[in-house]
Every structure is written in C-alpha cells, then in structure tokens.
Amino acid sequence: MENFDIFVKCLEGTDIIPKEQSKICPETISDISFKKLLGSVKDDYNTIRKIVVECENFLNNKNYEDVFEKEDVLEKIEQYRKLILHDIAEFRKNLDEILAKTVKKVIAKELQKWGNNIRKYNSITVEKMIDKKSPSCLAHKINQFIKMFRVSDKIKDKPTLIVIDALRNPYEILYFRERYSAFYTISVNTEEKIRQQKLFEKGYRLSEVQAIDEAEKVKHDFRDSYQLIDIDKCIELSDIHLTHNGIEISKNRDLINQIFTYVSLILHPGLVPPSPIERMMQIAFTAKLNSGCLSRQVGAAVTNEFYSVQAIGWNTVAEGQTPCSLRNLYDLYELEDANAYSTYEKNDKKFSDYISVLVTAYNSNKALENLKGETLSYCFKDIYTTINADKQKGNQVHTRSLHAEENAFLQLAKYGTQGIKGGKLFTTASCCELCAKKAYQLGIKEIYYIDSYPGISKSHILECGELQPKMILFTGAIGRAYINLYNPFLPLKDEIEVLTGVNVKKIGDKSDLTDNTSVNFYR
C-alpha cells in the first residue's frame, strides 16, 4: 500500500476543474486547499496502512496456520476481516465527505485506473511495464482473503460464504470459476435511464458518466484485456441475472425476492422449477453454442404467447456454406477446398492481394507456431471493410452470417408455422435495427434480452407506432447455473423421507387405516 503523499498525488489526477466550470460546488477550492483538506484523513490513512502491511505479510506467509496458535490466527483474521468490511469502508465514507466539498466529488476515474494497474502490476502507481506481472493480481489477492476466511471458519466449524463486490474483468470471473465449483457470477441490470439517474444522484457529473461509459464500452486490444474493465463481457459470462427497477433497495420488494430466490437455490438446488422465461432463454443460450462466428456467439428462440417454442436460431452462415470458424486462411491462399470460399474471395484482386499480405505477415515472424495446430480462421467483414475505406465499418450488410434472431425468423418461413403474432422473442443479445424491424413486422409482443445493443433499435424501431413490442431485461439463471440450481442432489421425495424419518408407503403397509385410526408410525 502506497504512503499518504503518493495516495494524494494519485487522487489529484488531472481533472480538478476551475471554479467557473464547476456546477456542483460553486466555492471551488484551489489545489493547495485540496491537499489541506485531505490532510484531515492522514492519520486514519496511516493507521489503515499499517494494518494493511501486516495483513499482506500474513497472507504471503503460506504456513501461518502452523506458525500461530489457533487463538492467535483467529484474532488476526478477525482484525483483517474488520479491515476489509469496516475500516476501509469507513475511511472511504469520510473521504467522500471531504471530496463532496470540492469539485472532485467522485473519484470513479481514479478508481478505474488504480484497479487496472493493480490487475496487471499489483500496484496503483505503475503505469509502464517495468516488470511484467501476472494478469490476475487482483483476483489472486481476493483469493488469498477467501482462503484466510476459510481457515477461520474451519476452526469455528462453520461454512464459508463469500460475496465479492464486484468483478469487472472477465478473466477474474474465469479465475474463480476454475477454482470453485460453487462460484456464481450475478449481474444486476437496469434500464439505461435508471442507471444514469442513480449515478447523478451519487454526484457524478454528466461528463464523468460519459467518461465511464466510454471506458467501459470501448473495444480494447486483446493484449490489454487482462487488466481493463469489460462490463459487457462480464454480463455475458454471468450465471444469474437480476433486474433493478430503480426503487430504493430497502423498499425494493421485487429485487429482494430475486435475491432470496437465487440464494435459496444456491444453498439448496431444485427447491423450485425454472420460470418459463428462464426455460426459453436457456434454449436460446444453448442454441448460441452452434455458432461458428469468430467474434461472438448469439442465440435466439421464438415462441407463441404461451411459451411454446416455434423456432430457434443462432448467428451463422446460410445453410450449405462453411462457418467462419472452420475456414482456413491458407486454404483460400492456396485455393484449396474451393467450395468453402465465395467467387468474390477467390477472384477479387484487391481482396486476394490483402490475403497475400496477411499470409506474408503470418509467415514472417513464425506466428503460426503459437497457434499450435489451431485453425487460422479470418473474419471476412474485417478484411472487406479494411480494404474498402469508403464503406461504413459498422455496416451489417458485409457479414457472412445471419443474425440469430434473423435465422430463427427464417426457420418459420422455411418449415412453416401457425403464426407467431403476439408471441415472444428470446435473445442472448438484444436486436440490432435489422432484426428489430423483422420482429416488429412479425407481431412479436415481448422481446427478452440479456445484453443491450449499442445502436438505436429500441429508441428508433421498437418505440414507434401502435404495435410496439415490449423490451424486457432477462431475469434468471442461465447456462451452467441453470443446470446446477434446478438439478436437485436427490429427489425431493427422498429428501423429505430422510429428514423426517417418515416412510409414506411403509405406514400404509403397517396399518389398516380407518376413520377412527390414529396413525403415528415411523421407520
């Protein structure tokens, strides 16, 4: 943990704005006054820092169970538990009160930057790759605390239940998923207008909200993805999706019921069956695994108004064509497996020249050795929009694949249907403008989705006219969580018999039941 002077320097950042630009604090203070105000928490910071250093040494001592007596271990762990759950939170509360007196009311930008540095370098201050660290430093540190708490709970002979608030990098999720079979990622989703309103209420300026959104939505280079925030991917990987309607949490009966339901299922799988909405979204989720798209797999299911499945689809090429994941750049270059490639790909000179450039690039640094036999697939749209600078890069026309929703709709026409007017669409990623128009035309009344689409399909296509479909954020368990939570360890009937000691059939065998018979037979 850095000393106080470094903490202040990092906290200052670069966004202290002048008085005339301040909208939340007319009496904007100077840079010197800012440091002076922060000085009031210096003693608290140093006290916490001392405990943090002790905690770090304790965690890094892998044999602390053998070095200390049980009583000493429990005392230290309780001290460090208080550090995490109370002391740091109390310090943050006091810091927020001080920042509220300045233009720097919130420190979201700094917290994001610190988190990114910690993930990669295990420090909030390192900005240059001096010594390459593990890409999972933050997750590793959290796991150290989990192990520490498990030691304490084991001594106390009690189960360990941990909630991590919150993971914002997909590799952190994978880190814990590979280590703990009972690990579930829960995402809490809300409508965009509710999310922004909540941020404004917390003191975020519009520019700060926009900066956060830009940082979270930007498509990063894969090499940076280990340490940067990727909310969309984390939502995609989530096991359980909850929805927040904007009502204050203490009064939010709907959100409380959602949490209660899934915590109960985590502790006791199979207590209740899945909802029809979960059942249909699980079908869409399973369907997406058929996709051969190199960028993202998406699944969709179409039902009538009674949740009866009429069609399923996933983003893939037209029937009879080879999926992108199974096509090899070298096969195209050598003109082998000609049926897998279009006339345009084989004969267009501009396209062929670019393929040659790519092959040369792959050959020049022996990059293929790193693939270890994996197919050298390529994205047609990426190449096409690169060599045609005048074409819009986001244009969906140039993709080889049908969208999942589009594919499901076409199955209805291809194989026949009784009609789906008034029906429902379930999609793992909300509709783009093209698919939204098709859903509207088919008379879909409800569209359930997990990930929101960045375009204007909702505000421009769906929120127009007299027959507007309703967009509904998905609530429920999905993927592996669906299997785990709704699959009981043993039949409920057998469990009741074991817990109560009553065998219903044996009672019937041992007694001649009449209206006047009092029965109290047990195994």
Side-chain angles (χ1 to χ4, degrees), residues 184 264-272 484-489 495:
Y184 296 96
S264 299
L265 284 169
I266 289 173
L267 297 175
H268 191 305
L271 277 177
V272 295
N484 292 343
L485 299 185
Y486 292 116
N487 186 24
F489 293 125
E495 182 180 358

Side-chain angles (χ1 to χ4, degrees), residues 470-502:
K470 187 177 180 181
M471 291 284 289
I472 304 173
L473 267 171
F474 171 70
T475 299
I478 200 73
R480 71 188 191 101
Y482 182 94
I483 304 298
N484 292 343
L485 299 185
Y486 292 116
N487 186 24
F489 293 125
L490 71 161
L492 185 56
K493 180 180 69 173
D494 294 343
E495 182 180 358
I496 292 174
E497 180 180 326
V498 170
L499 294 176
T500 64
V502 176

Side-chain angles (χ1 to χ4, degrees), residues 5 52 54 70 147 195-196 205-206 262-263 275 322 332 382 396:
D5 291 337
V52 167
E54 293 177 0
K70 284 187 177 181
K147 290 181 177 180
R195 184 187 71 89
Q196 290 192 357
R205 297 186 292 265
L206 178 60
Y262 293 105
V263 170
S275 68
T322 304
L332 174 59
D382 283 353
Q396 298 293 330

Side-chain angles (χ1 to χ4, degrees), residues 115 119 138-139 142 163-170 172-173 176 183 185-188 229 231 234:
R119 285 184 181 95
L138 184 57
I142 295 173
V163 176
I164 304 172
D165 182 17
L167 301 178
R168 301 182 182 277
N169 180 281
E172 293 167 357
I173 293 176
F176 289 105
F183 172 81
T185 305
I186 301 176
S187 66
V188 182
I229 289 174
I231 300 298
C234 287

